[in-house]
Amino acid sequence: AQTVTQSQPEMSVQEAETVTLSCTYDTSENNYYLFWYKQPPSRQMILVIRQEAYKQQNATENRFSVNFQKAAKSFSLKISDSQLGDTAMYFCAFMEGSGNTGKLIFGQGTTLQVKP
Amino acid sequence: NAGVTQTPKFQVLKTGQSMTLQCAQDMNHNSMYWYRQDPGMGLRLIYYSASEGTTDKGEVPNGYNVSRLNKREFSLRLESAAPSQTSVYFCASVPGSRNTQYFGPGTRLTVL
C-alpha cells in the first residue's frame, strides 16, 4: 500500500524569505501523480501544485515550485518570497496512475506560519 | 458555478443519533469522494464513487454508508453516531480518475 510521510509537523518562515516543506512517499508503481494542497484557517482545501511522475521537469506555479526526486521518492515544496497569506497547513498527496479510482492518499500535514 | 457544496457546515449529534451529510457538484464530474480529517492527521478516504451507480470502500468505511443519488449528488450517512466519528468531513469530485480533485468547504461534526 502506498504511504505518504510529512516529517515536519510545524515550520515557520519570515515574510519574503524562502521555505521548503518535505514529503516522501512509498509506492511500487511507476506511473502516479503527486499534489500539494493548502488548507488555510478557513478549512478550504486549495490545490497548490501538481506533478505527473512521468514528467522529469519539476512543476512550478508562480512562487511555488517542487523538487521531484523519483528515485528517492521525494516531493518537496518550495515557497519563495513567502507572504502572510501563505500561513496554512500544507498537505502532500499521492494518486495512483493505474486503475480508475482517483483516490488520494494524504500525508499528515505541515503547519506553516509566515511571520511579519 | 458553485463547485462542490456541502450541507450542513456544522452539526452536533448525540451518541446513537443518525444523520446524512449532503454533497453536490455542478461540474459534471464523474467521480466523487468522502474524506474525514482528524486533528494532526491528513485526510483519510471513507468511501468513493468512481462513476454514477457505483460506490466503493476507502480506508476507513466502518460506521458509514453512502449513496450516489445521481451524477451530481453523493451523500454520507451515519446510522448510529459515535464520539469517534467527531471529525471534519470533506467531499470532493473529479472529472476523471487522473485529474485534480476539487473539494467542498467541509462539515464539522461533533458527536457528544
Side-chain angles (χ1 to χ4, degrees), chain B residues 2-86:
Chain B
V4 180
T5 57
Q6 292 183 235
T7 54
K9 286 187 168 51
F10 301 92
Q11 184 71 49
V12 178
L13 293 177
K14 294 181 180 178
T15 298
Q17 288 185 316
S18 62
M19 79 160 295
T20 300
L21 281 63
Q22 306 287 353
C23 174
Q25 52 89 9
D26 61 0
M27 297 175 284
N28 201 35
H29 287 175
N30 289 321
S31 304
M32 299 183 73
Y33 308 81
W34 276 106
Y35 295 89
R36 61 178 287 174
Q37 182 181 19
D38 301 309
M41 301 183 72
L43 281 69
R44 292 183 294 167
L45 183 64
I46 305 171
Y47 270 94
Y48 67 100
S49 171
S51 61
E52 186 179 357
T54 68
T55 60
D56 285 286
K57 294 179 181 179
E59 183 185 356
V60 288
N62 291 346
Y64 305 95
N65 285 302
V66 291
S67 296
R68 183 75 183 266
L69 305 170
N70 48 55
K71 192 169 186 180
R72 289 187 64 250
E73 298 171 291
F74 187 40
S75 63
L76 178 72
R77 182 161 179 84
L78 288 70
E79 290 291 350
S80 179
S84 61
Q85 294 178 303
T86 293

Side-chain angles (χ1 to χ4, degrees), chain A residues 18-91:
Chain A
T18 296
V19 64
T20 298
L21 309 183
S22 301
C23 173
T24 58
Y25 57 94
D26 188 23
T27 183
S28 58
E29 296 203 8
N30 190 49
N31 184 27
Y32 50 87
Y33 304 85
L34 295 164
F35 304 83
W36 279 98
Y37 278 90
K38 169 185 177 181
Q39 187 180 43
S42 67
R43 210 170 60 202
Q44 181 70 50
M45 294 289 286
I46 301 165
L47 177 70
V48 175
I49 202 163
R50 166 192 167 111
Q51 174 81 43
E52 289 83 0
Y54 62 85
K55 291 185 178 179
Q56 290 187 334
Q57 187 172 6
N58 289 325
T60 62
E61 286 289 343
N62 300 315
R63 298 183 294 107
F64 299 89
S65 61
V66 298
N67 183 5
F68 173 48
Q69 301 289 328
K70 191 172 184 179
K73 296 179 182 176
S74 171
F75 183 61
S76 60
L77 174 69
K78 185 171 83 170
I79 306 174
S80 303
D81 187 24
S82 297
Q83 301 176 359
L84 296 178
D86 295 334
T87 292
M89 180 165 274
Y90 288 81
F91 290 98

Side-chain angles (χ1 to χ4, degrees), chain A residues 94-109:
Chain A
F94 171 98
M95 178 189 293
E96 61 184 17
S98 61
N100 290 311
T101 66
K103 297 184 291 185
L104 284 173
I105 299 168
F106 286 86
Q108 305 92 319

